[in-house]
Amino acid sequence: MPRPPDRVYVLGRDKAEFDRDDGTGPTGESRRDAEPDTDDDRPPHTARIGSFLARDGSAGAAVGVDLDRPHAGVVFGKRGTGKSYTLGVLAEEIADADGVAPVIVDPMGVFGGLEAAGGRVVDPAVRPASIPPSTWPDLLGLDPASGPGSLVWRVVADAVDGGSSPSLATLREAVDAADAPAETRRAAANHLRLADSWGVFDGDAPPVAS
């Protein structure tokens, strides 16, 4: 019988169903006395992420995540309750699974330790020309109908039409050389300088398609 989608396995649950209020199984044994789950008990392609907390305070049935199909989930809790630790355990288990190549997007830098375990850390970058010119004013918080907004739009559009992959420094130079009032050029250049401080743009980055 096929498994239902997005199933979270309770590893070894068929050994003893500890569902009584007193924390004992169907034959009267306690969770502490039950045979512990082992890695051999888990179904194939399952990441073990821990155990249920039993009513008597001991470790209950083991919990695993099926890696055979896509999932969407969320881990949430108060600060310091182990959210990042839980995700780290899941990442290590996925990385250890055969036929799975995990990619972790880590905007806070909390999973840097995975590099020591053989992971490869990549700081992604995007070409400024990969962003449509009409999107740049909104990206920089500028009104596209304003002087600075329309100037940025025009400068990026000219660069893209020329077939080049300009850096933000090149775009700022084009702004400085544009036929526009000084205050307009200064505001546009300042917003491009702010975008440069984000550290996500690189004129030599691979195209988005690749």
Side-chain angles (χ1 to χ4, degrees):
M1 182 177 180
R3 295 188 302 272
D6 296 327
R7 175 176 178 179
V8 175
Y9 289 119
V10 181
L11 302 179
R13 194 63 181 267
D14 55 344
K15 290 183 179 178
E17 292 289 341
F18 295 107
D19 291 331
R20 300 184 179 181
D21 292 337
D22 59 359
T24 61
T27 59
E29 76 274 28
S30 71
R31 286 187 176 87
R32 296 183 187 275
D33 298 329
E35 181 182 351
D37 295 296
T38 66
D39 287 343
D40 294 335
D41 298 325
R42 75 176 71 183
H45 302 104
T46 301
R48 179 165 179 171
I49 59 173
S51 303
F52 282 108
L53 180 64
R55 292 188 180 93
D56 63 357
S58 64
V63 179
V65 175
D66 172 20
L67 301 181
D68 281 336
R69 66 193 70 238
H71 300 287
V74 60
V75 178
F76 58 92
K78 298 172 70 174
R79 183 186 296 270
T81 54
K83 299 183 298 296
S84 297
Y85 181 85
T86 299
L87 292 174
V89 171
L90 180 59
E92 291 174 349
E93 287 286 303
I94 294 174
D96 196 44
D98 292 333
V100 180
V103 176
I104 300 172
V105 180
D106 181 17
M108 298 180 63
V110 297
F111 298 121
L114 293 175
E115 185 175 13
R120 185 167 64 96
V121 177
V122 177
D123 292 324
V126 63
R127 294 184 178 191
S130 296
I131 299 177
S134 60
T135 305
W136 272 95
D138 185 57
L139 179 67
L140 300 180
L142 293 170
D143 181 354
S146 68
S150 62
L151 177 56
V152 169
W153 185 338
R154 185 172 77 248
V155 164
V156 176
D158 290 344
V160 172
D161 290 343
S164 64
S165 178
S167 64
L168 287 184
T170 301
L171 294 178
R172 288 202 308 271
E173 292 174 359
V175 165
D176 289 338
D179 182 15
E183 61 271 17
T184 299
R185 288 184 279 113
R186 183 167 54 251
N190 285 341
H191 280 79
L192 287 172
R193 190 173 293 107
L194 174 63
D196 199 13
S197 71
W198 299 339
V200 296
F201 294 108
D202 183 356
D204 297 324
V208 173
S210 64

